[in-house]
Amino acid sequence: MNTNTVTASSVPAVSGLDRRRFLKHAALASAAAVAATRSGLTPPAQAVETDTRWDKAPCRFCGTGCHVEVGVRDGKIVGIRGDAKAEVNKGLLCVKGYHVGMILYGKDRLTQPMLRRNGRMEVITWDEAIDVVARRILAAPERFAVYGSGQWTVAEGYASQKLMKAGLANNHIEPNARLCMASAVTGYLSVYGVDEPAGCYDDLDTCDVLILWGNNMAEMHPVLFSRILERRNRGEKIRIIDFSTRRTRTSEFADDYLEFRPQSDLAIANGIAHLLIRSGTYSKEFVEKHCAFKTDTAEHTLDGRPISFADYCRELEAYTPEKVEEISGVPAEKIRMLGELFGRKDVRITSVWCMGMNQHARGTNINRLVHGIHLLSGHWGRPGDAPTSLTGQPSACGTAREVGTLCHLLPGGRVVANPEHRKQSEAIWNLPEGRLNPKPGYHTVQLFEKFCTATDKGGDIQTLFTQVTNPGQSLPNLHKLFKSKQGLEDKFLIVCDVYPTATTELADLILPAAMWVEKNGIYGNSERRTQQWFRMVRPPGNARDDCWMTIAIARRLFELGHPGMKDKEGKFLFTFKNEKGEEVPVWEWERYYDVNVDRALFEEYRLFTRLKHKDLAPYDEYVKARGLRWPVVQQADGSWRETKFRFMEFDDPYVKKGAGIQFYHSVTKDDRAQVWFAPYELPPEVPDAEYPFWLGTGRVLEHWHTGTMTMRVPQLRNAVPHSYVEMHPSDAAEKGFKNGDLVKLKTRRGELELPLWISGRGHPPRGSVFVPFFDERIMINDLTLDAVCPVSKEPDYKKCAVDVQRGSQRSARPPGPTI
Amino acid sequence: MNRRESHVSPRDPVVGGVLVRLADDPAHRQAALTTLAEHPAITLGEAIGDWWTLAVEAENASEGRDLHSWIATVPGVDWVEVVSVHFEGMAEEAGPSPAVEVMA
């Protein structure tokens, strides 16, 4: 080889290199470490950088939970590398992941609290800002609401939950995770009696068939998809079946691409179950031992109605392959292929899904049905045989679902409506009996309706406090659910964020926040893995931790005499002590890091986690690990062991010996999971003469959610600089559109002009268009529908009716992204 | 708050650690290695398991992205993964969101 060739082990001493040469050697060493880990070899030693400190953190973006190593020099992030020690990503990162360090350094970081006075934002002090919030709450505690996030750290969500539910006896708190995974929650609850997947990413390493239910994994969970493709590269056979309403990058790698009409996945799942019954290839043993049956009802409740197996079979009779083809557009022979596949015992099948199934007017039902065909066929309970939902945010599981920041929950899977759960929570929080409010608060769509409706017309939420989220861009039907706040004089919007956003546009008070490794944190990813990191750099200007803000507000309320800020002994709800047992006033920012508030809150929260067997280890165990999957149970030797596969005797310590599989949170109290029937139903809005196209929305690889972080990273922004609409070439030709033309989309809720991208990255079928939602200049959620799943209350962003016409202007933009 | 301004500042080099998987065919592999090794911005590392390690050096982020794309097109390269980015100066490139660009 030529003179450019070096080996990682030949890295000479740092002092003998110039900076650039040293960085090259460090890069080779990182690559060697990852290559060795992925090849099952011992990683070589990394080059020692005396001036750069490296520490672990989970990536800030999606729910995959990749670990990165963050290099810090002179108080600034200077490098990101995939963490070869992390099981999730084994050193790999996606294009967003290796740019994650740059999200801190947008030039327009918010650095000072600002209050709107006479229509203008004016800089104020933190003392003033905290006082303003506290006095707004004190004026009408029951009309105050918090809207948080699946990007909240566990401690942030827990503190906010405690302030609201324990302190104010107010359940109007929601995370934005309501918009992305609430249907997965209701699916798990109604099938297994407890939330979150039984399997984990290890299933991806052992399945023979991977079915992607409306999940563009190549773009949305690219590191997990690489894990699959790497198996193929190693020569393993893995069949990928891509169910989708449009061709995506994922489809390019699929063995079978099955395009279905919006909402008809319900019919397809029923069609598979129909064939399993008809052919007798369902697993009689699994069903007899482990399953009971239920049906959805006209009232669409979480509990449904029990039915017999015979009733279940009768309900499915209508879903013949031909009928399913008629409804879905998927050929009957493909439905038969799927029925035969699930009927085979010699293959392992993993189903995964994300927003395609969750943001669905019948999101709970399609979740139930997919779990159902796995249970019915017995493709459940072995590594590689699993139905698993993926999440889109880094702590949708950890903070929204486990901490329980949804409006009906208490920590650890408890619900506010259950007297015993309230009693347990009051005991842990040392509250007077009866403090907790038994009535669930408003779910997200209701909450914003109430906030954006005049008080004298029933809009009984007056002050809304948002943290770590951007509802001004991410809510559906934005004119109704967000923009109509404008002009409502008695409504007050408090926004904590790191950058100006569509939400700060309407804010009355802006609080500048620290982000990611500017603060301590804990996230919980899609596979029940709890991940911890430490603060590595300081936030800019006067930006501060979200958790500190919550505690400081609580303290100000305490000082102003709000009785709820005291426990039953009169002590402040957020009391922290140092190692000497001295109380530390962490509500004073200068003292906040005198103790590890995250550790203290986490240890308190841990007490809640055992009821539903979601046991967490002590905080310090997570400091040592690249995350641990719950339940994490202490062993006889004092060590802590994670659980990869729940309800399975070979791995889950809570399964009774000899049971094999035990659904120990069964809603029928007999250790059985529920196999549901739910019919195909029409979506709430379908194309018609006036609005003849389907509109679907979603994400792209390079941008994360509303783009507030990724649009500030030049590499990502330049890759996909603006939003666009994808359309089938024949539809475009019929309308006389060319690539790059500006077109107008119009729904019953609004209209929007944006450039057309024909035959680009995604390929919608005839009669449908697709628009990503990351671009704050092209707010597609002005047009989307706010209809929700009746059980989960999650909105359906994936289908509504739209008209497409020529735009009023010519586009100055290039036709679609530059890649 | 001005959501329209844009910043680009002086930059330092961008150095990335990259893994490539090469084709099975020995001739294609050798051709790929030769092409990669001859590129002045690429330092070829070692073969570990199925992978070759590379250090990729660029004057700025945009050039780095182009180089990454180019590697993927080299005959005999089957797969490219970026595993690290050292971007000491790149943070200076980060700008505000291009919030309210007007369509002409």
Side-chain angles (χ1 to χ4, degrees):
Chain A
M1 205 41 61
N2 75 6
T3 51
N4 269 358
T5 305
V6 295
T7 64
S9 55
S10 71
V11 174
V14 177
S15 56
L17 293 170
D18 62 19
R19 183 82 198 151
R20 184 179 278 224
R21 191 152 173 245
F22 175 78
L23 293 179
K24 282 200 290 189
H25 284 296
L28 282 174
S30 299
V34 175
T37 302
R38 298 177 81 191
S39 305
L41 305 171
T42 306
Q46 294 270 352
V48 176
E49 292 176 72
T50 52
D51 59 352
T52 302
R53 182 166 180 247
W54 292 87
D55 205 352
K56 60 146 188 164
C59 177
R60 173 66 180 77
F61 295 120
C62 77
T64 301
C66 297
H67 262 95
V68 299
E69 290 186 292
V70 183
V72 175
R73 186 156 61 94
D74 298 332
K76 204 158 190 177
I77 297 177
V78 295
I80 292 290
R81 58 193 188 203
D83 190 339
K85 296 191 194 82
E87 279 182 84
V88 169
N89 52 313
K90 300 179 172 70
L92 287 190
L93 293 174
C94 73
V95 66
K96 289 191 294 296
Y98 56 77
H99 289 111
V100 64
M102 294 181 69
I103 61 174
L104 276 60
Y105 300 115
K107 292 293 188 292
D108 53 348
R109 276 293 295 267
L110 296 168
T111 58
Q112 302 290 345
M114 287 181 280
L115 180 66
R116 193 178 296 278
R117 286 183 176 131
N118 303 317
R120 292 172 56 88
M121 297 306 290
E122 294 178 7
V123 172
I124 60 170
T125 66
W126 269 109
D127 283 349
E128 287 175 278
I130 295 298
D131 191 62
V132 166
V133 181
R135 288 182 188 279
R136 285 290 308 187
I137 297 171
L138 205 57
E142 74 287 359
R143 294 180 176 229
F144 175 65
V146 169
Y147 185 64
S149 173
Q151 301 153 65
W152 255 340
T153 68
V154 164
E156 288 164 358
Y158 179 76
S160 198
Q161 157 97 309
K162 189 172 178 183
L163 167 67
M164 288 297 285
K165 291 175 182 163
L168 300 174
N170 175 339
N171 296 330
H172 296 315
I173 174 172
E174 277 274 277
N176 61 3
R178 176 75 72 181
L179 307 180
C180 66
M181 50 86 243
S183 302
V185 175
T186 45
Y188 283 112
L189 285 173
S190 53
V191 172
Y192 308 106
V194 65
D195 185 23
E196 296 198 43
C200 61
Y201 299 158
D202 295 43
D203 290 311
L204 301 174
D205 301 331
T206 47
C207 64
D208 303 299
V209 180
L210 178 69
I211 304 182
L212 300 152
W213 294 82
N215 178 209
N216 178 9
M217 198 189 219
E219 291 201 73
M220 304 314 137
H221 299 87
V223 168
L224 296 181
F225 201 62
S226 287
R227 198 160 158 165
I228 297 289
L229 297 183
E230 196 180 337
R231 286 184 59 199
R232 276 189 174 170
N233 287 336
R234 288 198 301 262
E236 293 181 45
K237 282 196 171 172
I238 173 165
R239 182 174 182 178
I240 299 175
I241 298 175
D242 179 32
F243 271 119
S244 188
T245 53
R246 85 187 224 280
R247 276 186 181 272
T248 65
R249 278 193 170 176
T250 304
S251 318
E252 293 168 22
F253 297 93
D255 299 276
D256 303 275
Y257 170 66
L258 305 178
E259 194 169 273
F260 64 96
R261 296 188 186 113
Q263 191 101 339
S264 68
D265 42 1
L266 295 159
I268 293 167
N270 281 337
I272 295 169
H274 166 99
L275 287 168
L276 286 167
I277 299 291
R278 199 173 74 182
S279 62
T281 53
Y282 70 95
S283 175
K284 294 170 190 69
E285 186 188 353
F286 195 95
V287 167
E288 278 167 21
K289 273 189 182 169
H290 304 301
C291 299
F293 293 84
K294 280 198 170 184
T295 183
D296 191 22
T297 59
E299 296 76 28
H300 300 298
T301 63
L302 183 66
D303 297 331
R305 179 169 56 80
I307 54 173
S308 67
F309 179 61
D311 290 339
Y312 172 75
C313 295
R314 260 192 302 280
E315 297 280 20
L316 289 170
E317 276 171 9
Y319 291 90
T320 62
E322 292 70 25
K323 181 68 181 172
V324 173
E325 176 178 345
E326 188 187 317
I327 295 169
S328 70
V330 176
E333 70 201 62
K334 295 290 184 186
I335 304 298
R336 286 194 194 92
M337 176 273 288
L338 290 163
E340 284 163 18
L341 192 62
F342 271 95
R344 284 173 59 179
K345 309 302 175 205
D346 61 333
V347 293
R348 297 187 183 214
I349 303 173
T350 290
S351 287
V352 294
W353 63 92
C354 197
M355 296 307 117
M357 270 176 44
N358 293 343
Q359 292 175 338
H360 191 306
R362 290 289 178 270
T364 304
N365 279 347
I366 185 60
N367 271 265
R368 288 165 170 166
L369 295 182
V370 171
H371 287 294
I373 54 179
H374 275 267
L375 292 163
L376 189 66
S377 62
H379 284 289
W380 206 106
R382 297 184 302 176
D385 265 334
T388 296
S389 67
L390 300 174
T391 47
Q393 299 189 80
S395 203
C397 285
T399 307
R401 295 158 77 162
E402 293 156 28
V403 170
T405 49
L406 292 149
C407 65
H408 63 293
L409 292 178
L410 288 164
R414 293 167 178 81
V415 294
V416 297
N418 182 319
E420 189 57 31
H421 289 179
R422 292 197 304 277
K423 199 172 165 187
Q424 291 161 1
S425 302
E426 285 166 352
I428 293 172
W429 280 331
N430 197 32
L431 301 176
E433 201 175 321
R435 165 79 66 83
L436 295 177
N437 184 344
K439 187 179 170 194
Y442 292 136
H443 65 75
T444 294
V445 168
Q446 269 181 326
L447 191 153
F448 279 91
E449 275 177 3
K450 295 290 186 182
F451 183 61
C452 293
T453 300
T455 306
D456 61 3
K457 291 183 177 154
D460 60 2
I461 297 296
Q462 284 185 308
T463 301
L464 178 62
F465 182 95
T466 75
Q467 279 192 318
V468 210
T469 186
N470 184 14
Q473 189 173 342
S474 59
L475 286 166
N477 196 359
L478 280 166
H479 290 295
K480 174 183 168 189
L481 294 181
F482 186 72
K483 293 178 180 176
S484 52
K485 179 262 178 191
Q486 201 150 27
L488 298 177
E489 293 301 321
D490 62 340
K491 304 287 177 154
F492 195 82
L493 177 63
I494 305 159
V495 182
C496 311
D497 214 325
V498 297
Y499 289 113
T501 65
T503 310
T504 60
E505 291 283 302
L506 293 193
D508 299 286
L509 176 65
I510 294 174
L511 304 179
M515 72 189 298
W516 194 43
V517 296
E518 292 168 350
K519 58 189 181 184
N520 291 339
I522 303 162
Y523 279 159
N525 82 345
S526 288
E527 58 162 357
R528 296 176 279 108
R529 184 183 291 273
T530 309
Q531 306 163 294
Q532 176 276 346
W533 76 93
F534 286 123
R535 177 170 70 158
M536 299 177 206
V537 295
R538 298 298 171 101
N542 259 328
R544 296 182 181 178
D545 293 30
D546 296 271
C547 192
W548 171 82
M549 294 178 209
T550 299
I551 293 169
I553 292 163
R555 184 65 189 187
R556 188 73 187 117
L557 284 166
F558 176 87
E559 290 161 358
L560 292 169
H562 191 290
M565 296 303 120
K566 296 175 181 172
D567 69 11
K568 67 182 180 189
E569 285 152 17
K571 283 199 310 192
F572 179 45
L573 282 184
F574 296 95
T575 298
F576 301 94
K577 292 183 174 170
N578 62 19
E579 286 169 358
K580 294 177 191 163
E582 299 160 341
E583 197 172 322
V584 179
V586 297
W587 50 88
E588 296 171 11
W589 173 243
E590 299 71 26
R591 305 293 305 277
Y592 185 66
Y593 276 90
D594 284 1
V595 290
N596 184 339
V597 172
D598 263 39
R599 178 191 276 119
L601 289 173
F602 186 81
E603 292 299 336
E604 184 179 302
Y605 161 56
R606 270 185 72 213
L607 303 174
F608 284 93
T609 60
R610 292 180 197 133
L611 177 76
K612 297 287 182 178
H613 302 93
K614 300 184 177 185
D615 314 30
L616 297 175
Y619 179 89
D620 291 338
E621 294 299 313
Y622 298 96
V623 174
K624 293 183 277 186
R626 261 58 175 178
L628 294 168
R629 285 166 280 195
W630 55 258
V632 188
V633 178
Q634 192 164 31
Q635 306 298 289
D637 64 1
S639 64
W640 294 84
R641 180 188 178 278
E642 67 169 356
T643 304
K644 293 180 181 178
F645 300 97
R646 289 162 86 200
F647 311 130
M648 302 169 212
E649 185 183 352
F650 70 88
D651 197 45
D652 184 341
Y654 287 115
V655 173
K656 269 187 277 186
K657 281 213 178 325
I661 289 170
Q662 183 192 5
F663 297 108
Y664 46 73
H665 284 291
S666 166
V667 294
T668 39
K669 312 287 184 204
D670 54 2
D671 293 339
R672 290 172 182 271
Q674 310 301 307
V675 177
W676 283 73
F677 171 75
Y680 165 72
E681 292 172 277
L682 281 172
E685 189 176 88
V686 295
D688 54 19
E690 197 177 355
Y691 300 97
F693 286 83
W694 287 108
L695 167 65
T697 69
R699 295 171 285 170
V700 295
L701 169 66
E702 293 81 358
H703 290 297
W704 196 70
H705 285 199
T706 58
T708 51
M709 293 181 283
T710 50
M711 283 293 270
R712 285 169 170 87
V713 177
Q715 293 77 0
L716 301 173
R717 188 177 67 223
N718 293 340
V720 187
H722 56 79
S723 188
Y724 51 84
V725 54
E726 294 172 356
M727 189 180 210
H728 192 280
S730 302
D731 287 334
E734 265 183 20
K735 288 188 166 286
F737 297 160
K738 294 191 301 294
N739 219 9
D741 280 357
L742 204 60
V743 300
K744 181 192 281 185
L745 302 186
K746 185 178 176 189
T747 70
R748 291 181 175 86
R749 293 153 293 282
E751 58 185 52
L752 184 67
E753 295 196 355
L754 74 176
L756 180 67
W757 195 21
I758 305 166
S759 301
R761 186 181 291 181
H763 305 273
R766 290 208 71 171
S768 88
V769 296
F770 173 86
V771 180
F773 73 94
F774 68 85
D775 192 340
E776 66 181 348
R777 300 156 300 177
I778 299 174
M779 299 271 250
I780 190 59
N781 282 321
D782 283 346
L783 276 62
T784 48
L785 187 62
D786 56 336
V788 298
C789 165
V791 184
S792 70
K793 316 300 183 193
E794 179 166 348
D796 189 333
Y797 291 86
K798 299 299 185 188
K799 47 190 172 289
C800 67
V802 65
D803 185 28
V804 186
Q805 295 296 335
R806 184 170 291 285
S808 59
Q809 309 167 68
R810 290 183 59 191
S811 175
R813 295 164 189 271
T818 55
I819 53 172
Chain B
M1 289 179 296
N2 182 353
R3 298 176 64 198
R4 292 167 184 256
E5 61 184 317
S6 175
H7 294 265
V8 178
S9 307
R11 304 140 185 186
D12 290 342
V14 179
V15 180
V18 173
L19 294 179
V20 292
R21 187 198 297 276
L22 302 179
D24 291 337
D25 177 77
H28 286 153
R29 288 172 73 87
Q30 190 52 50
L33 286 171
T34 303
T35 306
L36 293 171
E38 284 174 351
H39 196 292
I42 294 175
T43 304
L44 200 56
E46 57 194 316
I48 299 175
D50 295 338
W51 302 95
W52 272 87
T53 62
L54 310 179
V56 174
E57 199 181 359
E59 290 307 314
N60 56 55
S62 167
E63 192 183 303
R65 190 162 56 85
D66 291 346
L67 198 50
H68 179 195
S69 304
W70 176 79
I71 293 169
T73 65
V74 170
V77 171
D78 277 359
W79 194 260
V80 186
E81 301 272 15
V82 179
V83 298
S84 69
V85 176
H86 226 101
F87 51 81
E88 308 206 345
M90 270 164 55
E92 301 305 322
E93 291 182 26
S97 176
V100 196
E101 278 176 23
V102 179
M103 287 185 192

